[in-house]
Structures are given as C-alpha cells and as structure tokens.
C-alpha cells in the first residue's frame, strides 16, 4: 500500500508559478511510475504529466508541454510538478498518482494507476 500526500497548491496570478510536491510512503518508491492529473470544475479528470521509475522518461499533455516540468527524487520519495506561465485554464484540483511497474514505462490513463492522493487546489486568477 502506498499513501500519497500532495502539497504546494494555492492561488496565483496569470503568468505565475507554483511547484507541487507529492510525498509517498513506503520503501519502494523507485519501483513506481508517478503521474499528475487534474480535474477542473464540471470536467473529467485529465492527464497532466508522468515520469518513469528513474525519472529520465517523462511525458506531458499537450496543454502543459513547455510550461510544466515533472521530476522525482527517489531518495526523498517525492515527485514534483513545476508549473510556470500559469493560465486561468490551469485552475483545477491536481492529483498525484502512482502505480507499480517492473519497467520504466510511462502511463497516461487514469485507470492504469493504483494509488491516488487527496488532491491540492490550484487557482489561477486572470
């Protein structure tokens, strides 16, 4: 069982930056693929970014490519999402997700993840 706790959300103006963190419990963090998803009011949850076990492989949704960066520090059981040039349409609850993987593959589909955090609110004002 893995427990995930997100932090770092808040209110920011258009063009600003935030860094989200997701701390995971357990001693096998390096065997988990990590992802970030978000859900805006009235919309379905959508993929934002993911990183493989080593942190070398990453993948991003087209809407955040070039503005967001996912990274992980396995020694600290933590994955990050650096968000720059934020836009009002980035407003959402952001969720961290994890799934065990024997390879360095990346997963972009919500149903492929086993564990989820409680979410952290990000609000971008115009």
């Amino acid at each position: 069982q893995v427990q995930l706790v997100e932090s770092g959300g808040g209110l920011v103006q258009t063009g600003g930056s935030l860094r989200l963190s997701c701390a995971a419990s357990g001693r096998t963090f390096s065997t988990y693929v990590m992802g970030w998803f978000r859900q805006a009011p009235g919309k379905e949850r959508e993929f934002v970014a993911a990183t493989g076990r080593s942190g070398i492989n990453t993948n991003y949704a087209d809407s955040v490519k070039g503005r967001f960066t996912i990274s992980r520090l396995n020694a600290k059981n933590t994955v990050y999402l650096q968000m720059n040039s934020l836009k009002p349409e980035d407003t959402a609850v952001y969720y961290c997700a994890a799934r065990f993987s024997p390879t360095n593959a990346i997963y972009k589909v919500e149903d492929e993840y086993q564990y989820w955090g409680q979410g952290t609110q990000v609000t971008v004002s115009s």
Side-chain angles (χ1 to χ4, degrees):
Q1 189 78 7
V2 175
Q3 292 186 325
L4 305 173
V5 180
E6 302 100 332
S7 61
L11 174 65
V12 65
Q13 291 185 333
T14 296
S17 298
L18 282 175
R19 188 176 82 155
L20 305 183
S21 299
C22 173
S25 64
R27 296 178 290 178
T28 58
F29 180 71
S30 61
T31 65
Y32 286 83
V33 174
M34 301 300 297
W36 286 97
F37 290 74
R38 68 185 181 186
Q39 187 168 22
K43 295 187 177 181
E44 293 189 352
R45 190 153 54 183
E46 65 176 1
F47 170 77
V48 175
T51 178
R53 299 182 352 166
S54 67
I56 295 175
N57 295 353
T58 58
N59 196 283
Y60 298 92
D62 288 342
S63 59
V64 306
K65 207 170 289 185
R67 299 187 298 122
F68 290 11
T69 303
I70 188 171
S71 61
R72 65 189 296 164
L73 192 56
N74 287 345
K76 291 193 172 183
N77 283 16
T78 302
V79 63
Y80 305 96
L81 186 68
Q82 178 67 43
M83 306 186 294
N84 298 329
S85 302
L86 283 161
K87 306 174 181 180
E89 50 264 44
D90 294 318
T91 295
V93 177
Y94 283 71
Y95 297 91
C96 173
R99 69 156 282 157
F100 171 76
S101 175
T103 71
N104 218 18
I106 289 179
Y107 301 90
K108 299 170 60 174
V109 178
E110 181 178 348
D111 289 347
E112 294 177 307
Y113 284 83
Q114 299 165 295
Y115 305 104
W116 292 84
Q118 82 288 349
T120 185
Q121 176 70 47
V122 171
T123 303
V124 184
S125 63
S126 57

